Amino acid sequence: MTHIKVNVDGTAYEDDVEPRLLLAHYLRDRLGLTGTPIGCDTSNCGACTVDLDGTTVKSCSVLAVQADGGEVTTVQGLAKDGEWTALQHSFHERHGLQCGYCTPGMIMAARDLLRENPHPTSDEVRQALEGNLCRCTGYQNIVRAVLAASGQQVAEEAPA
Amino acid sequence: MIPPAFEYARPTSVDEAVRALADAGEEGKVLAGGQSLLPLLRLRLAFPELVVDVGRIPELRGVREDGDTLVIGALTTHHDVIRDPLVRRHAGLLAAATATVADPAVRHRGTLGGSLAHADPAGDLPAVVLALDGELVAAGPHGRRTIPARDFFVDYLQSALAPDELLVEVRVPKRDGWSFHYEKFHRTAQAWAIVGVAALVRRADGHIAEAHIGLTNMGATPLRATAAEEALSGADGPQAVARAAEAAAEGTRPSQDLSASPEYREHLARVLTKRAVLTATGMG
Amino acid sequence: MTDQAVQHVEHEVGRARLRKEDAHLITGQTNWTDNIQVAGLLHLAVLRSPMAHARITRVDVSPALERPGVVAAFAGADLAEGLGSLPCAWPVTEDIVLPDHPPIAVDEVRYAGDPVAVVVARDRYAAADALEAVEVDYDPLPPVLDLESALAEGAPLVHSDKGTNRCYTWPLATGESFESVRQRAEVTLKRRYHQQRLIPNAMEPRAVVVTPLAASGEYTVYSATQIPHILRVMLAVVTGIPEHKLRVIAPDVGGGFGSKLQVYGEEALALAVARKLGRPVKWTESRSEGYLATHHGRGMIQDVEVAATREGRLLGLKVGLLADMGAYLMLVTPGIPILGAFMYPAIYKMDAYEFTCTGVFTTRTPTDAYRGAGRPEATFAIERVMDELAAELGLDPVELRRRNWIRHEEFPYTSIAGLTYDSGNYEAATEKALALFGYDDLRAEQRERSERGDTVRLGIGVSTYTEMCGLAPSRVLRDLRYAAGGWEAASIRMLPTGKVEVVTGTSPHGQGHETCWSQIAADVLGVPFEDVEVLHGDTKASPQGMDTYGSRSLAVGGEAVHRAATRVVDKARKVAAHLLEASEQDLEFRDGVFSVKGSPEARKSIQEIAFETFTSHDLPDGVEPSINAETLVEPENFSYPHGTHLCAVEVDTETGATHIRSYVCVDDVGRVVNPTIVEGQVHGGVAQGIAQALYEEAVYDDEGNLVSGTMADYLVPSAADLPDFVTDRTETPAASNSMGVKGVGEAGTIASTPAVVNAVVDALRPLGVHDVRMPCTPERVWRAVKEASA
């Protein structure tokens, strides 16, 4: 067992963990932070994307011990006092989710993009989300949602 | 899905890391960013007894100059390599190729040293460091040694590192004024390269004076397309480049897998070498 | 409450309402099955056969029991008692070969991934470790992989006791005989197409949690399923646990696409283990485990022959299928190709149609429904062969379709396959699509590129599809030998405070039923959208239902909500008449308010009536104290969405790489409840169809191992691999339900695959290429070009 201290969504935790424990399982099974789901075992799908010390990581491909001393932000830590972030709003308003399983990872990845590139083009959004798979939306409304959250004009979606 | 159990060490210095690896013998594994190792563990394709997490050794991180050489710490992440001004200035090929590796989240964790030590011929960076005539510095119980990239990649997933050695830095000669391009051919954005071609070209008087061509996924190790390199020397236009690129697959032994046959890979090596050189030189 | 109701004047149906479902999903307050934690929960892990086909000669689980944290371990034989065969609900012919399908293998494994032992431990890590300690000896048997040779005399058998790998042969012949039209045909074409195996890849892996209440013998099963109601019935049959002691809950379910339309071995195993141990049990598949354990889709060889006149009039169509069942028949495995049987003639008129499907057992993961289920395969074959025929006749492919399709004034039209298409307007959808696409300009560019010998060619693909959805009239299902009906249930509870609970038998997993059913109920009842809550996915809350698959939910389940709400209004009208001291005939009902004709001040809202009914102080004699209503809707016909999809693909003839330059679709899904949701369904469907055309394939090696066994090898496209889609609609209401709706879940997938492949082939046709097998990988495209020029 290895002793770790991790701050997750503003709360400090200390735990003894097996070194092999994946950060994703630490969040889900130990801390009960089930907002971060797991969708694959090869780090392809990105559903488990969280923020670790200011950049996105796939929490299924990081050991909890690697996050020792770190700060983790999950999708559950985004809204402050019940107030959604711009990205959360735009995913809702642009119908950027259907089943919602990829959504936490998509939102975290999009948040990372907008931090580095506040006004991305549509192609840049698509490239930035290359590590996050969605099976429902065909991605178009996700791209629209990210562009809208960046304050850009987005073509209207549904024909009347 | 779930890694097998292992012992864990988190050294804070290179010496400490090397000692830990030496104690573990054949059963130790280095964990840097974990982007190659963790999927292997999760699929239970590797069963190390000891994982040595070198992620907290600050001296392994960062980029510096050493005369005509650029020195990149093994633990420098892909994300940092892509954005590093020194790398962009002196080894633009490396920055460009690194930008095609996996996806942003993986690039945040994955490291240059990890990608090279993993020695996957389908990885993008081994062929690039080979094309750059890079050198890899390994620290072991008896001190440090420098291994030229051409000697580093021994076989499929096998580097020249001894089990008790840690890759600490990557040294590449500055290539100011050389033009470059990494042409990656893959089926989806996230997929491994079917074939990748790293082209590094020096031009003089309107023709190609010297060309380095690194090939990704054209054999058990990354390769240099030496025949094409020779043929490219003196090439003065698109036709000449295309003719020279016909030699790109000479001496390669590409594998058969889900995404391609050897024959197709050889064909791609030729086409992509032509395109990489034309793009690099702006001749196209 | 009164004020709100009175102010409600907007129509909900047709409105782009934002989804009610989103709030918890975008904030991480989700309830996926794997999230569920209960006291004393044990984790189940399944050991799977590494071989495609073998006799099990020994299983020893005792070493696993020695591992830390392990509570129990079982071999197949330990669980055989009390576990019946997994069900196949669609034995398509009388003489179908129905092999026994134990949830866990006892003496023989028949695909790589077949369960052989289970371990139960205190956490998932301990369970995974202990799995490696289980000892199994196998005696290898020959794999059965090739559909044609599997049928040959003396072929190795998947089920040796059955004496054959032929599962069934299902014929259909309508109109004239194909032979007779072939004789008078001026042109005949024969083509073979391969529908590769696909892995559905719902983003949420499957999971199941069983919590037993030992004292009363009751069990709650949480499962990532599309079909909680069917699952309950079937688990009762498989495990012998009385149905009324089983409660099945589908919590948040992260996509299905048919893959969760199933009764899986792990669901039965978790239940059996929970029963044996008296402890709650959880099983969650990893993605790579799911690639073996969750059913696959497609997997067919299609032989298609078409007969036509020189002018391009279709005379007849003959289709012969070999369909890969995999190792066992799962819930609707044999029926999938049969669903397609009726769709091969598509929107075209012809005189003869012959269809035969032979189901074949192989030593691979079983196949079953995957988005579209039989209909994408059918649409692919006919739309591909129409393009081939157009090329043969020197006609524009759109023009050939125009010469053969059913004209809008001909509806209702009974197709050669015997389906009565109630409505449609293929001309309108096609004209709109052609205009949006810029068809003529793209054709000009294509010619220009071809003439100058550009290495990057442009191809244009068209697909004018229809589909049958809204499954399904129960009598038709009977005739097809499907074991259940096709009705759907809904009930509406008017709560004392005026709020409304809609209980539906559909079981959404991303579709947005909570939003759409709220819109429907709000409109009929005239109550605010926000006052409606939709309950689903729990057999205790929603005791009756046929669940969600086959684009059936809106046309059948939505219709049920509509009818139940109408009944509520009818019941409320009686109470309103009494309270307003008027006759029912003198009442008007508008925007949720009853008023007396001619005296608008006399009014009662339906929400007020809900309260009056609750107190029951002043109800008319003989009227029960409830305006709640429930209904089961039996659909009178399938519904038939249609549309025209156009795709422009650039093909790099040097590398074989393809690039979708533009994609336009005009779909007619009838009346639209929520245009935003419809558009989203089309986007996702098109993406999956493109994925089949260009990227995805479950590849097996010669030993029967799944080679594309992880998400790193099976290429699900990302945002970076797909284009923007241009979507538009025409709206021809369905005639078979009161709302005029058709369904949209599968349309995009059905339409897009042939549009893309037609475009790829169209780009290469001047080079002599007539087909590229799916997925159209760069190497396949390159080889096609190379072979054509050789």
Side-chain angles (χ1 to χ4, degrees), chain A residues 20 22 25 28-29 34-35 39 41 44 84 88 92 95 98-99 101 126 135-137 139-140 144 157 159, chain C residues 19 22 26 28 34-35 124-125 129 200 286-288 679-680 683-684 688 696 717 719 722 724-725 729:
Chain A
R20 62 167 165 164
L22 302 174
H25 283 140
R28 292 178 54 77
D29 292 350
T34 50
D41 39 21
N44 287 91
W84 293 355
Q88 287 172 311
H92 176 52
H95 190 30
Q98 290 179 31
C99 85
Y101 200 79
R126 286 182 177 276
R135 199 60 160 170
C136 296
T137 63
Y139 303 104
Q140 189 156 333
R144 285 171 173 167
E157 49 270 33
Chain C
R19 298 201 319 167
D22 292 352
I26 56 178
D34 186 64
N35 294 7
R124 49 177 118 226
Y125 281 58
D129 292 347
S286 72
R287 179 64 59 183
S288 49
E679 194 201 22
H683 288 167
Q688 276 181 36
E696 297 180 10
L722 293 169
D724 272 339
F725 313 118
R729 287 188 274 107

Side-chain angles (χ1 to χ4, degrees), chain A residues 75-98:
Chain A
V75 73
Q76 288 170 274
L78 295 183
K80 298 287 176 235
D81 304 320
E83 195 54 42
W84 293 355
T85 64
L87 269 167
Q88 287 172 311
H89 276 293
S90 63
F91 268 68
H92 176 52
E93 284 156 10
R94 300 285 166 168
H95 190 30
L97 64 151
Q98 290 179 31

Side-chain angles (χ1 to χ4, degrees), chain C residues 187-191 304-308 385 387-390 392:
Chain C
V187 184
T188 61
L189 271 184
K190 236 176 166 167
R191 290 288 186 268
V304 187
E305 189 174 358
V306 66
V385 90
D387 261 35
E388 294 307 302
L389 183 61
E392 177 74 23

Side-chain angles (χ1 to χ4, degrees), chain C residues 415-445:
Chain C
S415 81
I416 185 82
L419 297 173
T420 300
Y421 299 162
D422 57 333
S423 71
N425 190 335
Y426 310 138
E427 301 94 318
T430 302
E431 287 314 312
K432 203 166 189 174
L434 291 171
L436 280 170
F437 188 65
Y439 187 80
D440 296 336
D441 290 347
L442 283 165
R443 282 284 181 216
E445 181 185 336

Side-chain angles (χ1 to χ4, degrees), chain B residues 10 23 34 44 55 78 91 107 128-129 156 158 185 200 279:
Chain B
R10 192 199 287 160
D23 290 346
R44 297 208 171 199
H78 301 316
R107 293 196 292 268
V128 168
V129 172
Y156 181 69
Q158 197 188 328
F185 192 84
L200 188 66
T279 306

